[in-house]
Amino acid sequence: MTTFTALTTLTGKPAADALGAAMEKMQPAPTGVGVFEVEDDSGLWEVGGYFEGAPDEVALALLAATFGARSFVVSEVPETDWVAHVKRELPPVEAGRFFVYGSHDAEQLPAGRIGLLIDAAMAFGTGHHGTTLGCLKALDRLLIDGAQFADVADIGCGTAVLGMAAAKAGAPNVTASDIDPVAVDVALANLAANDMTGAVTCVTAAGFDAPALAQAAPFDLIFANILKGPLITLAPDLAAHSKPKGIAILSGLLNEQAEEIVAVYAEAGYNLLHHDRIGDWSTLTLRRAS
């Protein structure tokens, strides 16, 4: 059966959530509904659904009118050879000593590099996005400069590629958390695929809100590759869970958002070491003053 998507945009999270809930009650029901902010702090939200077969466009028009959304755009989803797509769109990524690759490129791992096997999955963080790549490059630079890390936290870990990179680079105690339990399942699967089961403790948590993180703290390196809003909220907790002179690598930021994050973390006691830009995305490396 042919799959269709129906997408619209509207202003405000409450209205978007309500529209998403209403879509789930349609008949025939969509196979999935998503509600996403188009850009951090933009106030503009996208609501979309997947349907097996053409959706009821009259019902969609009524929903759009009811919730003040733009007219739905209905599109047929083309059949895709996803294996070929992944091979074409996700080539290996090199970030200093780190080499992130999919299983289809296992034979390309260069000698002397730290390999991280990450196949495309539901969780964010294959290494191809500018934010994840920026974090890996920031870690590599710190290691080149002689830094050593014993206790590491990967907050908002997604695939746990950053936590695995730190563990493979020698950190003996790495704890990774994500608010999404699916991401944690993906992280555990990635650890197993890399023969690293047990090398990174993975927990479901919002920020640092987990016993495993409290027990493992304080950390001398904390990754937080999330978004501007959560990074601002997280600043006091991140500082509280950091060792004196501890390092934070922050990303998930558009270039124009970086200055505000630097200011927020300065108030929390951090000094900027490096600001890296990859395309539209920024990665910040900071050190806690004391």
Side-chain angles (χ1 to χ4, degrees):
M1 182 177 291
T2 302
T3 299
F4 288 79
T5 60
L7 300 173
T8 187
T9 55
L10 70 167
T11 302
K13 185 177 187 299
D17 286 338
L19 175 54
M23 284 186 70
E24 291 177 349
K25 298 176 182 178
M26 289 180 63
Q27 294 298 327
T31 57
V33 172
V35 179
F36 307 96
E37 191 170 18
V38 173
E39 182 180 309
D40 193 29
D41 291 337
S42 69
L44 184 66
W45 291 73
E46 180 180 87
V47 179
Y50 282 86
F51 296 83
E52 291 185 351
D56 185 339
E57 296 197 37
V58 173
L60 289 172
L62 289 172
L63 287 176
T66 300
F67 292 95
R70 294 186 177 184
S71 298
F72 277 91
V73 176
V74 177
S75 304
E76 183 177 335
V77 179
E79 292 186 8
T80 302
D81 182 344
W82 288 108
V83 174
H85 178 77
V86 167
K87 289 182 179 180
R88 182 176 65 253
E89 300 295 338
L90 296 181
V93 170
E94 299 186 54
R97 72 197 64 203
F98 301 107
F99 187 86
V100 186
Y101 64 98
S103 55
H104 53 278
D105 284 320
E107 295 181 358
Q108 296 190 39
L109 176 60
R113 305 290 283 279
I114 296 177
L116 297 164
L117 171 58
I118 306 289
D119 278 318
M122 293 177 69
F124 176 83
T126 61
H128 294 78
H129 196 273
T131 57
T132 309
L133 178 59
C135 290
L136 288 171
K137 287 187 171 183
L139 173 60
D140 181 68
R141 179 175 51 227
L142 290 166
L143 296 172
I144 289 172
D145 290 344
Q148 296 182 338
F149 302 106
D151 303 296
V152 177
D154 181 3
I155 306 299
C157 66
T159 60
V161 63
L162 301 177
M164 289 195 297
K168 283 202 170 188
N173 304 307
V174 182
T175 308
S177 71
D178 201 286
I179 196 170
D180 183 357
V182 173
V184 174
D185 289 342
V186 170
L188 292 169
N190 284 331
L191 285 163
N194 283 269
D195 295 323
M196 295 180 66
T197 298
V200 177
T201 299
C202 298
V203 296
T204 302
F208 291 91
D209 189 17
L213 286 161
Q215 293 166 10
F219 300 100
D220 46 21
L221 173 62
I222 300 173
F223 294 104
N225 182 15
I226 41 180
L227 293 169
K228 186 188 86 170
L231 279 175
I232 291 172
T233 302
L234 192 67
D237 265 358
L238 194 144
H241 286 81
S242 174
K243 294 179 183 179
K245 307 294 184 181
I247 298 291
I249 297 177
L250 311 179
S251 198
L253 301 167
L254 293 167
N255 292 331
E256 58 266 28
Q257 298 171 336
E259 185 176 348
E260 182 178 355
I261 294 299
V262 170
V264 168
Y265 276 78
E267 292 181 2
Y270 282 88
N271 296 318
L272 178 67
L273 298 180
H274 299 283
H275 179 185
D276 299 302
R277 299 169 180 84
I278 299 178
D280 294 330
W281 300 95
S282 284
T283 299
L284 304 174
T285 304
L286 307 102
R287 176 183 285 123
R288 188 178 171 196
S290 60

